[in-house]
Amino acid sequence: MSQESKAKLTYRDAGLDLEEYERTLASIAPLLKRTHSPRVISDSTSGKRGKKGGFFASLFSLDYNSRLFAKNYRRPVLVTCTDGVGSKLKIAGLMNKHDTVGIDLVAMSVNDCLCTGGEPLVFLDYLAMPKDDPDLTRNLIKGISDGCMEADCALVGGETAILPDFYQPGDYDMAGFCVGVVERAHIINGRSIQPRDVVLGLASTGLHSNGYSLVRKIVFDHAGLKVGDLVPELCRTVGEELLQPTRIYVRAVKNVLNHYPIKRGVIRGLAHITGGGLVDNISRVLPAGRRVFIRRGSWEVPPVFGWLRSLGNIDQAEMDRVFNQGIGFVMIVSPYYVANIQSQLAEDRVASYVIGEVREGDAGVESVN
């Protein structure tokens, strides 16, 4: 046996430096801590994300300030959501800018949680990369932490998987997991939607995190553009536009729900507009016998959508099916409270539009001019 074959192998030889990994965990601990409220039990953050020697799981108290919790939740129901960012991560890689896609990760799950009327409580993440990269990890966690701050939920733990044989150098993937709570009697499920109810569309910040496989096909393969190219009609570069973070609607919508609790019958249905656009996502909350008619031209469509459609010669039906078209969240509400709800949303700096109405008919969504 040769001298070389007798060499002692270590985990570092396989692609993971444990000492460097521990230093990375220590450096991101403050990014978790700043999202914590007193309901996160002190020192319970998972040792996989926080400090060496931490718990195997994170603990979150449901009886902190018990009088408030008892007032709001007599029959609490847990809400669970999970999602990823998709190929928007490719744009982050091309830009070498990784501190905003974490916001997208949080947004995709907490906005889903919100559709039940639920309050996001805690968030966890999963990161996978080919080798330990402390700077990349810190940037990703920074974005996740920023998103959790905006969503008023605690980042309580996560996992970083170093998988040298699964990913090419420079690649990584991420997934997020949200746990929320809703009072059983306050669950919003769309069953109370009535004819003449109004469809309110809440403005998106642009593409959010959907349709990026088509976006990359249009922009890079078909048009041959680079992330640093300036797009005059957008007044920014390709990369700056495509990395705009997904809007988090939690505070704005929670404020409306707190003002108009479900028992008053004002808020009938909620939908997060992701892949499938307005048609598919609104349809998910409609009961039998209720049809939504969306009026084209009733809201301001961000210029990125017209730019993409023209650049790729995309049919309008395909645009509607893939992208949010400028509406990131929908509230179906009683017609008598529309002006008040819109005013309240404006106080939280969320533009909203009356984009349609509910009528009797086969469950589904139809666009009209």
Side-chain angles (χ1 to χ4, degrees):
M1 184 177 292
S2 68
Q3 189 67 27
E4 182 179 351
S5 65
K6 293 181 180 179
K8 294 182 179 180
L9 295 177
T10 67
Y11 211 171
R12 181 184 296 177
D13 297 319
L16 180 58
D17 184 331
L18 291 175
E19 287 76 18
E20 183 65 37
Y21 185 64
E22 292 294 343
R23 287 192 290 272
T24 301
L25 292 182
S27 72
I28 64 175
L31 296 174
L32 279 69
K33 187 71 173 177
R34 72 182 184 131
T35 69
H36 293 178
S37 72
R39 289 193 286 189
V40 177
I41 293 179
S42 178
D43 295 327
S44 73
T45 301
S46 168
K48 291 186 177 182
R49 274 290 166 76
K51 58 181 179 55
K52 187 175 181 179
F55 285 17
F56 287 93
S58 303
L59 303 176
F60 187 89
S61 173
L62 296 181
D63 63 1
Y64 172 75
N65 194 352
S66 58
R67 286 178 297 177
L68 177 62
F69 192 85
K71 177 182 177 183
N72 292 336
Y73 301 106
R74 298 184 182 278
R75 300 180 67 199
V77 175
L78 290 179
V79 184
T80 59
C81 305
T82 184
D83 211 333
V85 180
S87 61
K88 188 172 186 175
L89 299 180
K90 291 286 190 181
I91 311 298
L94 292 171
M95 291 281 288
N96 194 26
K97 180 175 171 55
H98 306 278
D99 59 348
T100 61
V101 287
I103 299 174
D104 294 287
L105 186 70
V106 174
M108 295 304 287
S109 284
V110 298
N111 288 342
D112 281 354
C113 174
L114 193 60
C115 291
T116 66
E119 170 193 4
L121 296 178
V122 300
F123 191 86
L124 299 99
D125 67 85
Y126 170 83
L127 307 180
M129 56 188 68
K131 69 181 185 69
D132 188 29
D133 187 330
D135 290 337
L136 173 61
T137 301
R138 278 192 294 270
N139 278 321
L140 293 174
I141 299 300
K142 167 65 164 54
I144 296 170
S145 177
D146 288 344
C148 286
M149 294 286 288
E150 191 174 342
D152 295 325
C153 70
L155 177 57
V156 295
E159 163 75 340
T160 301
I162 308 301
L163 305 171
D165 299 327
F166 279 76
Y167 296 94
Q168 296 299 316
D171 287 345
Y172 64 91
D173 200 6
M174 58 199 310
F177 312 88
C178 172
V179 178
V181 64
V182 63
E183 172 64 27
R184 182 181 289 271
H186 295 173
I187 294 173
I188 297 176
N189 52 27
R191 293 175 186 169
S192 64
I193 292 174
Q194 300 294 324
R196 298 183 60 236
D197 282 347
V198 170
V199 181
L200 278 181
L202 279 58
S204 72
T205 52
L207 293 166
H208 284 185
S209 297
N210 297 104
Y212 273 77
S213 293
L214 178 57
V215 168
R216 291 185 299 112
K217 185 74 173 178
I218 295 169
V219 174
F220 304 127
D221 296 346
H222 179 71
L225 297 176
K226 307 296 184 184
V227 290
D229 291 343
L230 179 67
V231 183
E233 53 263 59
L234 302 180
C235 299
R236 58 178 61 155
T237 66
V238 169
E240 288 170 341
E241 179 63 46
L242 299 188
L243 270 191
Q244 283 296 300
T246 304
R247 171 167 269 162
I248 292 174
Y249 296 94
V250 173
R251 287 180 183 167
V253 174
K254 272 177 57 179
N255 285 339
V256 173
L257 294 177
N258 289 339
H259 196 74
Y260 299 103
I262 190 68
K263 63 184 178 182
R264 293 177 59 181
V266 175
I267 312 301
R268 322 275 209 191
L270 301 171
H272 183 200
I273 309 305
T274 56
L278 290 167
V279 172
D280 286 357
N281 288 289
I282 295 177
S283 296
R284 294 166 65 175
V285 303
L286 295 177
R290 301 290 180 261
R291 190 168 185 82
V292 161
F293 289 81
I294 299 293
R295 289 191 295 275
R296 293 190 182 279
S298 59
W299 70 90
E300 184 177 342
V301 179
V304 63
F305 296 103
W307 173 67
L308 285 172
R309 183 185 178 190
S310 176
L311 198 65
N313 191 28
I314 309 298
D315 289 340
Q316 185 64 54
E318 185 72 1
M319 293 292 297
D320 293 343
R321 191 166 65 110
V322 176
F323 301 116
N324 68 60
Q325 296 285 65
I327 299 297
F329 200 88
V330 159
M331 307 179 73
I332 300 178
V333 304
S334 165
Y336 305 106
Y337 296 89
V338 172
N340 289 339
I341 292 172
Q342 287 191 286
S343 177
Q344 192 160 354
L345 290 169
E347 289 182 8
D348 285 304
R349 300 182 180 180
V350 176
S352 61
Y353 309 90
V354 175
I355 66 171
E357 65 180 5
V358 180
R359 303 177 191 171
E360 292 185 355
D362 294 336
V365 178
E366 184 175 332
S367 294
V368 296
N369 294 321

